[in-house]
Amino acid sequence: MQLSFAYQVTRWDPATRTVNPDGSVDWAERPDADGSIEAAYLDAISTFARELGVERLTLRDIELRHDDSDLDPGSVLARLFGPRLEGCYDGATVDVAGARLLVREALRAESFDPPAPEAPTLWCRFEAEGRMFVHTGYDLYLYIGASEPCLSAVEAVAAAGLFPVRIEESPYDPSCPGAMAERADLPPVDAAFWATVDDLVRERGGVLVQEHCGWSRWHRIVEGGPRPVFRPRAVLEVWPDVSADVVAVLAGIIDEDDDPQRDLVYLTADGAVRSVRIDEDSLPGIERHLAGAVGGFAVPGTVDEALPMLLHRAACADADGVVRVRVDRF
């Protein structure tokens, strides 16, 4: 969403910016010992929202690494969206206070100053259609878009010790080249989608469905089994069923790379579908973790590997039948 005015807000004073011969950049450091710099970032959001009359912001293009387990009920994400994040999906809205909490955690994930962020940390684009956006970037850059100049807000941000700079567009705007890959126009999850899935199940005996809505949940569909209920605006990818030889699937991941970074989906004896990240941290105890698993599937690690395996793809439409989730094409 592009707006008439966009500002880069940062703690770094442009006057102290030094570009080194190797291309790295040095800035004059200002430790945030009392938390006042963090507070100034968050107040910038509130100040712009107040001047624009924005009370709620919509979450778009959510990114979150989460294993679908219950969160600490006192965590920011659990308080805003529920312990299983049932309220967290593309198109969900939060008030300005909630947006401040989410941006705070994203900033802490980029900061060298304590306190550390909670885990998991959510990243998204915040939007108030036609009026305002907020994007968090690397190195403690905050990008705020506005439908009006918001000169009072700009002055207030500068008075708080930050450096608001007018820019042409946010580098995280979804329409900006490089911000997202080429868009995919996906069909909706409708009767035609289920007819295709049913045909695949009859042909193969079962399929896996990866439900992605900021983070992934996995479902197994077999003939005569129940159809899962998907989250709003979820993107669905249909993959081949699990292999009964879990040991061979795991060995294939490990043998392929000395430093594997792959997800393995496995089926438990009671029919539950789980996933685990295969990497140097999980490898020492992975066999114990997979004890009792009766099926496994190695999630493709590259586009070239994924495309021949992908059986079908669709997205959950809004109530009016329109697919609004923004999806990258492979």
Side-chain angles (χ1 to χ4, degrees), residues 68-329:
D68 203 34
S69 59
D70 285 355
L71 297 173
D72 179 342
S75 68
V76 168
L77 291 178
R79 284 185 283 133
L80 289 175
F81 305 118
R84 297 191 63 81
L85 296 178
E86 52 269 27
C88 183
Y89 53 86
D90 189 281
T93 66
V94 292
D95 60 16
V96 174
R100 284 172 58 106
L101 290 173
L102 294 171
V103 170
R104 183 192 71 183
E105 297 305 304
L107 290 172
R108 287 179 177 179
E110 287 294 318
S111 178
F112 294 108
D113 299 326
E118 296 179 354
T121 299
L122 176 147
W123 185 92
C124 71
R125 295 176 174 91
F126 297 93
E127 298 179 358
E129 184 63 36
R131 291 185 292 166
M132 181 180 176
F133 67 71
V134 179
H135 305 152
T136 56
Y138 292 111
D139 298 328
L140 299 175
Y141 283 106
L142 183 69
Y143 300 91
I144 299 178
S147 57
E148 302 171 14
C150 294
L151 297 181
S152 295
V154 172
E155 292 176 1
V157 171
L162 299 182
F163 299 91
V165 178
R166 175 83 185 273
I167 57 176
E168 188 169 335
E169 63 184 8
S170 165
Y172 294 91
D173 189 286
S175 62
C176 178
M180 294 186 74
E182 182 185 357
R183 300 288 181 77
D185 295 322
L186 296 186
V189 176
D190 56 10
F193 166 82
W194 285 113
T196 299
V197 171
D198 289 343
D199 287 343
L200 289 168
V201 168
R202 281 191 292 270
E203 175 188 338
R204 295 168 170 267
V207 295
L208 292 174
V209 176
Q210 183 179 14
E211 175 197 359
H212 187 77
C213 189
W215 73 100
S216 289
R217 298 195 306 193
W218 288 86
H219 311 274
R220 184 172 185 247
I221 301 178
V222 296
E223 196 161 5
R227 289 179 175 176
V229 176
F230 303 122
R231 291 167 289 173
R233 295 190 180 179
V235 176
L236 308 177
E237 293 173 347
V238 183
W239 300 97
D241 198 9
V242 294
S243 165
D245 194 342
V246 184
V247 173
V249 173
L250 177 60
I253 295 176
I254 297 173
D255 294 343
E256 183 180 275
D257 195 335
D258 293 336
D259 181 23
Q261 301 285 330
R262 296 277 294 275
D263 289 330
L264 186 149
V265 177
Y266 62 96
L267 183 68
T268 65
D270 61 359
V273 183
R274 301 282 185 261
S275 67
V276 60
R277 185 69 170 174
I278 307 297
D279 55 26
E280 62 178 6
D281 294 327
S282 65
L283 273 177
I286 195 61
E287 293 183 1
R288 183 173 62 255
H289 186 98
L290 295 174
V294 296
F297 171 73
V299 181
T302 66
V303 172
D304 289 341
E305 184 183 1
L307 286 178
M309 298 177 63
L310 185 63
L311 302 175
H312 194 37
R313 203 173 187 214
C316 292
D318 290 348
D320 59 2
V322 177
V323 173
R324 291 189 173 87
V325 63
R326 296 189 286 238
V327 184
D328 287 353
R329 188 187 303 275

Side-chain angles (χ1 to χ4, degrees), residues 3 30 53 62 82 98 112 127 205:
L3 297 174
R30 289 190 301 154
I62 296 168
F112 294 108
E127 298 179 358

